[in-house]
């Protein structure tokens, strides 16, 4: 965090990289959520060690909500 030209450019580049990575994860997982919803879920689970592609991957056929799928377990 800074006010110099290099600090501001670094912050812009990091924000662009994060946006592109999330857009790529959204494309790969074929999830129907917005990028804002994905960012909110990541903020809630920032310290949880999870493969991001597996985290956003939609589940197969589920008969009940359980802890094996992180997004559904968080909603229950």
């Amino acid at each position: 965090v800074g006010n110099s030209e290099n600090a501001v450019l670094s912050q812009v580049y990091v924000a662009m990289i994060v946006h592109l990575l999330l857009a790529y994860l959204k494309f790969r997982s074929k999830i129907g959520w917005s990028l804002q919803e994905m960012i909110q879920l990541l903020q809630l689970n920032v310290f949880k060690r999870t493969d991001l592609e597996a985290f956003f991957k939609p589940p197969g056929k589920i008969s009940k909500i359980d802890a094996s799928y992180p997004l559904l377990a968080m909603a229950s």
Side-chain angles (χ1 to χ4, degrees):
V1 178
N3 295 329
S4 70
E5 182 180 354
N6 285 338
V8 171
L9 285 175
S10 295
Q11 293 171 30
V12 169
Y13 291 145
V14 167
M16 287 177 16
I17 290 169
V18 168
H19 182 79
L20 289 173
L21 285 173
L22 282 175
Y24 178 71
L25 280 172
K26 181 179 177 180
F27 171 75
R28 289 279 310 232
S29 65
K30 298 190 179 23
I31 197 164
W33 295 350
S34 68
L35 289 177
Q36 180 66 32
E37 291 171 323
M38 292 174 68
I39 290 170
Q40 288 174 348
L41 281 174
L42 287 175
Q43 286 175 345
L44 291 173
N45 295 294
V46 71
F47 294 114
K48 186 175 181 181
R49 289 191 98 147
T50 307
D51 179 31
L52 288 178
E53 194 169 345
F55 185 73
F56 289 115
K57 190 173 189 176
K61 187 176 181 181
I62 295 180
S63 59
K64 64 176 185 162
I65 295 177
D66 60 357
S68 65
Y69 183 58
L71 297 178
L72 291 178
M74 190 178 80
S76 62

